[in-house]
Amino acid sequence: MTLVRTIEALRQRWSLLVRMFIVLLVLLVLIDAVPFLIDKEKAHTAMESIPGFWSLFGFFSCVLIVYISKYLGKIGLLQREDFYHD
Amino acid sequence: MTELWIHPALILLVGAALLPLVPERIRAGYLLLVPLLVFARVHGMAQGVYGEVRYLSWDLVFGRADAIASLFAYILALMAVLGTLYALKVKKRSEFAAAWVYVAGSLGVVYAGDLLTLFLFWEMMALSSVFLIWLRGRKESLAAGFRYLLVHSAGGACLLAGILVYSRGAESLAFSGFNVQHLGIGGWLILIGFLLNAAVPPLHAWLPDGYGEATFSGSVFLCAFTTKTAVYALIRGFAGLEILIWLGVIMALYGVVYAVLENDSRRLLAYHIISQVGYMVAGVGIGTQLAINGVCAHAFAHILYKGLLFMGCGAVLQMTGQSKFTELGGLYRKMPWTFLFTLIGGLSISAFPLFSGFVSKSMTVAAGFEAHLLWPAFLLTLASAGTFLHTGLKVPYFIWFGKNNCKPETWEQAADPSWNMIAAMAIGSALCIFIGVYTPYLYDMLPYPVEYNPYTAYHISESMQILLFTMLGFFLLLKKLQPAPAVAVDTDWLYRRGARVFRRWDDRLLNGLNAWCEELIVRRALPWLSRFFEAPGGYLQVAGLRLLARLGGADRQETEVAVQCRSRLGTYPVGIGVLLAVLYLAAMSLLFFF
């Protein structure tokens, strides 16, 4: 099947994909810093004019969500699978 | 009513009723025809008010078809077509009947112009949808179904109580916006009924509980109709109610937190319904034209991509018998198309540019920024990072890539599903991309004129940064996100574990009271009374005699025997009767004269 072959071909070039991904991340922040390309007239707060503000926001949102959830799981939300069965 | 008006729900109800009579040969055609007819009926209905009936002293309106109702009916009917196509090969006809009655209920709610009609269809939805859980046939499904039914019955009772209280002070039962400044008891009760169906914490635990246990195709229906009709009802009744903004933000974050902990793919998707409906509830609370447009657009897009996601995970469940991440993994070789469609669903819900969520979700968030609600708007944006983290990354990664946890039989059975399921997912995916690419399709249906353009350079840059840096976080924290076999305790604990505590106390208190009453009244008081009434006169006399004997010290043995004998035979001297009569008359005359 061609779809499987495509996926496998992509998996074989994993390190290249990772490098491309990192380049893309850098590009996103760089582009964000060019007022000519990204018009920040409509930004709602002053913070948003910092180049790469939303990158930081996205990354820290992700980290925050994972750590807070894991913490809540540890202090009691997570129980063994047969919790309700006895 | 001057002309014949056919309610779209009626087509589904008649279709469901005739289902057992349909011969096997034309079953597939019939199954597709009925929802297609409904979709054609909904699509062809001009805006207006139809189906007005006067019943007792009430004016019932079955067909209020304005812009908002038409939009919701359109997407609900479309989802009915896709859901039926997806389920086409399911053997049990009862599942189609249940699903269609359920869809009929939701269409009835959407077109209802008064509160009584709304309630009627509201209950029809609850009572029919529970069968989509029960029909899975597992012991757990039976229990989950009963819990689902009980919670919805409580919500329905609350709604009915609210309608009754509200009707005392209102001129008519027309379902229009309530006075959000002064809701009154009736308004609050109705609101609680709506919020329960919209799965607002803490009234939400029925949703992951029920949807995780439903049949593989039942969840596809369930995920679309109950919460979205509730959102519709909130738009109608409570637009601009400020508390909804914060409730919506809490919902958006709540679902995201639980999704991290969840090991079952369908329960994870269920938690993301709560999260996504949070955007809609917050939008209703903001209540501006842009916000209401955003809510309608997001509900529309959400029904499609969430249906698509449940179809993908449902296909995995149907083909492998598993839905937990700890039992799956590495399936891309076996189910590549299911992976692709699920990924498209994941990108849509994550609001990737060119996918449906991008053009709908951002409207609500933008409305928040425009109304200067900075905290809610930022928190909703934060939640959207979580959405991509789970639905866009965690679900596809741990089912189709990651560590292969499949048992040999799971791996053996795994394959892309039958053509009808693939077709339903393909159409769903195509629509998700179409909505994202060609915005006028959705925007022209919205109730207010749209001046919003999601494809500005700034918005694309913002979204891409949030999404791709979330992706970076995902891969850096991959170890932390590894699934583990566990359950996350939610507010259903209250009625699952709490019920046992309640039962124990109930047992002690009520059964204790019962036992005490039995000892006192049944075992002691009744025998004593019955002994007494065998010969009441004799007992009284003997008791009097004993008293006298104690005072006087005379021999009473003989007299007692004589008294008992006399009372048993009823042979009293005439003198006693005369004495009693004289005493009685004396008492009466005293009463008369004074």
Side-chain angles (χ1 to χ4, degrees):
Chain A
M1 276 207 287
T2 47
L3 185 57
V4 177
R5 251 181 280 150
T6 317
I7 297 173
E8 297 216 307
L10 288 173
R11 274 171 72 93
Q12 276 162 11
R13 292 166 185 78
W14 184 246
S15 58
L16 175 72
L17 284 180
V18 171
R19 256 175 284 156
M20 278 170 63
F21 178 64
I22 292 168
V23 171
L24 187 63
L25 293 183
V26 175
L27 268 181
L28 272 176
V29 180
L30 288 181
I31 292 173
D32 193 50
V34 184
F36 172 68
L37 289 173
I38 308 293
D39 177 18
K40 292 202 174 177
E41 283 271 297
K42 286 198 172 169
H44 306 280
T45 54
M47 301 183 282
E48 290 169 62
S49 56
I50 304 166
F53 168 77
W54 289 111
S55 304
L56 285 175
F57 187 88
F59 184 76
F60 284 108
S61 299
C62 173
V63 173
L64 209 66
I65 288 166
V66 172
Y67 274 88
I68 289 181
S69 312
K70 284 272 159 188
Y71 174 71
L72 290 175
K74 207 181 274 177
I75 59 166
L77 285 189
L78 268 190
Q79 297 287 345
R80 48 176 222 289
E81 269 191 317
D82 57 353
F83 179 66
Y84 288 118
H85 287 229
D86 45 279
Chain B
M1 238 186 358
T2 47
E3 58 189 293
L4 180 70
W5 178 76
I6 296 174
H7 198 302
L10 193 64
I11 304 174
L12 279 165
L13 292 177
V14 173
L18 293 179
L19 204 51
L21 307 174
V22 174
E24 196 59 35
R25 280 178 296 124
I26 58 163
R27 194 183 97 119
Y30 179 79
L31 284 176
L32 287 177
L33 179 71
V34 172
L36 278 172
L37 278 177
V38 174
F39 182 64
R41 177 76 192 97
V42 167
H43 192 50
M45 198 188 303
Q47 293 192 3
V49 178
Y50 312 93
E52 287 171 285
V53 181
R54 194 162 171 81
Y55 174 72
L56 301 180
S57 61
W58 297 302
D59 291 312
L60 304 185
V61 181
F62 283 88
R64 173 180 51 178
D66 56 6
I68 303 179
S70 299
L71 171 96
F72 273 84
Y74 178 95
I75 186 60
L76 293 176
L78 183 61
M79 193 58 214
V81 176
L82 287 180
T84 309
L85 173 63
Y86 180 78
L88 202 60
K89 303 226 163 167
V90 170
K91 293 228 162 47
K92 287 179 191 156
R93 294 184 183 205
S94 44
E95 193 170 324
F96 293 100
W100 286 357
V101 175
Y102 176 42
V103 178
S106 73
L107 287 173
V109 168
V110 165
Y111 283 125
D114 67 283
L115 290 166
L116 273 185
T117 314
L118 174 101
F119 178 74
L120 178 78
F121 286 107
W122 196 267
E123 288 300 290
M124 188 197 273
M125 286 176 71
L127 293 177
S128 52
S129 56
V130 69
F131 286 93
L132 298 173
I133 302 171
W134 279 339
L135 280 169
R136 187 159 170 206
R138 300 207 306 170
K139 201 171 133 237
E140 292 90 338
S141 325
L142 189 70
F146 273 117
R147 289 194 292 272
Y148 176 90
L149 196 58
L150 282 174
V151 172
H152 278 287
S153 308
C158 198
L159 178 62
L160 181 63
I163 293 173
L164 291 177
V165 174
Y166 174 77
S167 68
R168 286 164 58 93
E171 285 169 11
S172 78
L173 279 180
F175 180 32
S176 51
F178 295 95
N179 180 1
V180 292
Q181 305 302 329
H182 299 283
L183 274 185
I185 295 174
W188 279 110
L189 286 172
I190 293 173
L191 178 68
I192 291 171
F194 288 172
L195 291 182
L196 187 135
N197 267 28
V200 178
L203 306 173
H204 69 287
W206 58 269
L207 194 150
D209 188 22
Y211 292 9
E213 275 303 328
T215 65
F216 82 98
S217 47
S219 291
V220 174
F221 281 98
L222 287 169
C223 74
F225 295 93
T226 302
T227 43
K228 257 56 76 190
T229 43
V231 167
Y232 168 81
L234 285 173
I235 295 177
R236 279 273 180 232
F238 299 98
L241 182 65
E242 270 182 37
I243 187 177
L244 292 179
I245 301 173
W246 283 103
L247 284 177
V249 172
I250 290 169
M251 283 174 85
L253 294 169
Y254 194 97
V256 163
V257 166
Y258 268 84
V260 176
L261 305 173
E262 199 47 68
N263 181 33
D264 187 300
S265 59
R266 298 198 312 158
R267 283 177 61 94
L268 185 153
L269 294 181
Y271 274 113
H272 268 288
I273 298 178
I274 299 175
S275 180
Q276 294 301 302
V277 172
Y279 289 85
M280 301 173 210
V281 171
V284 173
I286 297 168
T288 57
Q289 288 199 353
L290 179 62
I292 297 298
N293 266 348
V295 175
C296 292
H298 200 44
F300 191 101
H302 178 84
I303 286 173
L304 282 172
Y305 62 63
K306 189 55 85 177
L308 181 58
L309 286 163
F310 266 101
M311 285 183 201
C313 289
V316 173
L317 174 67
Q318 168 70 357
M319 300 309 288
T320 66
Q322 302 291 349
S323 59
K324 289 180 180 161
F325 296 119
T326 43
E327 308 285 337
L328 295 163
L331 283 176
Y332 76 93
R333 269 191 221 106
K334 292 280 197 160
M335 308 183 71
W337 288 102
T338 313
F339 159 67
L340 184 69
F341 297 136
T342 312
L343 184 67
I344 292 175
L347 293 176
S348 303
I349 192 176
S350 314
F352 234 84
L354 301 182
F355 292 88
S356 59
F358 184 74
V359 303
S360 63
K361 190 194 282 184
S362 51
M363 266 179 142
T364 311
V365 180
F369 275 121
E370 273 193 13
H372 303 291
L373 298 159
L374 292 183
W375 271 104
F378 272 117
L379 287 173
L380 288 176
T381 315
L382 187 148
S384 74
T387 309
F388 182 50
L389 181 68
H390 305 120
T391 328
L393 294 166
K394 184 176 169 182
V395 169
Y397 184 83
F398 287 113
I399 293 181
W400 283 279
F401 300 95
K403 186 165 164 265
N404 187 341
N405 299 316
C406 297
K407 293 195 188 87
E409 63 267 26
T410 309
W411 185 257
E412 198 61 36
Q413 291 164 349
D416 270 324
S418 55
W419 68 266
N420 59 302
M421 289 162 75
I422 293 280
M425 289 192 276
I427 297 171
S429 305
L431 282 169
C432 281
I433 297 175
F434 181 65
I435 291 170
V437 174
Y438 182 69
T439 50
Y441 167 65
L442 177 55
Y443 285 2
D444 286 350
M445 274 191 258
L446 297 179
Y448 301 107
V450 180
E451 289 160 12
Y452 177 75
N453 173 23
Y455 286 105
T456 60
Y458 181 59
H459 185 214
I460 294 173
S461 162
E462 170 195 336
S463 304
M464 290 307 288
Q465 285 183 60
I466 293 173
L467 292 171
L468 293 186
F469 275 86
T470 300
M471 196 165 162
L472 177 71
F474 173 79
F475 283 109
L476 291 178
L477 297 173
L478 200 55
K479 275 221 177 98
K480 282 232 151 227
L481 288 164
Q482 289 291 341
V487 290
V489 178
D490 206 340
T491 52
D492 54 346
W493 182 89
L494 277 177
Y495 48 84
R496 295 181 74 167
R497 268 303 170 92
R500 288 177 208 181
V501 178
F502 177 72
R503 197 175 57 195
R504 206 172 304 142
W505 279 103
D506 234 23
D507 177 41
R508 287 216 187 129
L509 185 71
L510 294 183
N511 283 344
L513 199 65
N514 200 9
W516 184 71
C517 284
E518 191 189 346
E519 181 62 32
L520 194 74
I521 294 176
V522 179
R523 287 184 200 279
R524 295 212 182 149
L526 283 182
W528 185 83
L529 281 174
S530 72
R531 269 204 312 279
F532 172 77
F533 279 107
E534 267 175 5
Y539 273 107
L540 279 180
Q541 287 182 54
V542 170
L545 203 67
R546 279 180 189 160
L547 201 66
L548 283 175
R550 204 169 291 160
L551 292 175
D555 175 37
R556 48 164 210 198
Q557 200 80 359
E558 231 171 87
T559 336
E560 240 176 63
V561 173
V563 164
Q564 272 170 0
C565 178
R566 209 189 295 161
S567 78
R568 216 172 294 131
L569 298 172
T571 52
Y572 288 98
V574 179
I576 293 181
V578 173
L579 180 66
L580 286 175
V582 169
L583 281 175
Y584 176 73
L585 283 174
M588 289 310 284
S589 50
L590 276 175
L591 271 178
F592 182 76
F593 286 117
F594 300 103

